[in-house]
Amino acid sequence: VGSEMCIRDRFDFGPMNTTISANEIEGARFRIGGLTTAQLNPHWFARGYVAYGTKDEKVKYSGEVEYSFNKKKFHSREFPINSIKLSHSYDIDQLGQHYLYTNKDNVFLSLKRKGDNKATYLRKTELSYLQERKGGFSFGLGIRNEIQQMATDRIAFIDGYGKKIKDYMQTNFEVKLRFAPNEKFYQTKSQRFPINLDAPVLTLSHNFAFKNFLGSKYSYLSLIHISEPTRRRGI
């Protein structure tokens, strides 16, 4: 919607506002990407991009294949979602930064972004399932493997013996339940923008990992419950 360029309705190239951007780690960043639409296949979808930074001279990329059990009219993220997805990516991870309504390499963010060298290179592979119901209830299952690599000297990884290491691997599982009755939103091909900000949203997320399973360095258990207040900022 708005920033993609369509070719014969089967492929969309973009978003166009991510073609050129900049940050302290990569310098000037150039990116090209796109996605398939339901005009090519109403059940199978693919999206991805390739990017290059002139300062770090590294190629980054992302690829995703999704199968929708529901027949789609235009794109894979139409409500309600009932799909299984496999993705793999390698890119800059700006620690603590989470973008709800835009891409992290949006050119307009480059114009006002301050220096940020607290970043890593993240190699991530994920298999997930998500089902949404019309009553506002949704649940998801996923397994994710991540390899975090140092990108600058400002970020240091220390193992259990106090030794500095360049990277570490972690594999975790996630179970997520979400209930949002009477929720209304504006849907684009990649994001959702809430309209009725006073609608309640309840989220229950359970993450866990086992040491030495698929390369995991640590074991952990995390249970998160979120009850979003009136006039919430995002979903």
Side-chain angles (χ1 to χ4, degrees), residues 136-138 177-181 199-204 225-228:
F137 177 76
S138 64
L177 305 176
R178 186 175 185 271
F179 183 56
V201 177
L202 243 63
T203 303
L204 183 64
H225 172 263
I226 301 175
S227 180
E228 300 189 32

Side-chain angles (χ1 to χ4, degrees), residues 200-217:
V201 177
L202 243 63
T203 303
L204 183 64
S205 178
H206 183 43
N207 289 269
F208 54 95
F210 305 102
K211 186 176 181 179
N212 298 325
F213 179 78
L214 294 180
S216 290
K217 293 294 184 181

Side-chain angles (χ1 to χ4, degrees), residues 54-111:
T54 59
K55 185 176 180 179
D56 64 355
E57 300 182 337
K58 287 182 177 292
V59 175
K60 295 87 177 176
Y61 56 84
S62 176
E64 175 184 300
V65 177
E66 181 174 2
Y67 177 78
S68 173
F69 296 95
N70 301 331
K71 187 176 181 179
K72 299 296 185 176
K73 293 181 179 180
F74 301 103
H75 56 84
S76 64
R77 297 181 182 177
E78 295 170 5
F79 181 87
I81 295 174
N82 182 18
S83 66
I84 186 168
K85 179 170 59 178
L86 177 65
S87 62
H88 178 73
S89 63
Y90 173 71
D91 208 337
I92 285 286
D93 183 23
Q94 294 172 318
L95 301 177
Q97 301 286 344
H98 300 282
Y99 299 92
L100 293 176
Y101 305 129
T102 188
N103 297 282
K104 63 183 178 182
D105 49 359
N106 186 323
V107 64
F108 299 107
L109 293 179
S110 302
L111 301 176

Side-chain angles (χ1 to χ4, degrees), residues 29 47-49 59-64 86-93 104 121-126 144-149:
R29 174 183 168 107
R47 68 175 65 210
Y49 66 80
V59 175
K60 295 87 177 176
Y61 56 84
S62 176
E64 175 184 300
L86 177 65
S87 62
H88 178 73
S89 63
Y90 173 71
D91 208 337
I92 285 286
D93 183 23
K104 63 183 178 182
Y121 292 113
L122 173 62
R123 192 180 305 274
K124 180 170 67 174
T125 303
E126 183 174 7
R144 182 185 306 110
N145 177 269
E146 296 183 345
I147 302 176
Q148 288 277 12
Q149 300 173 316

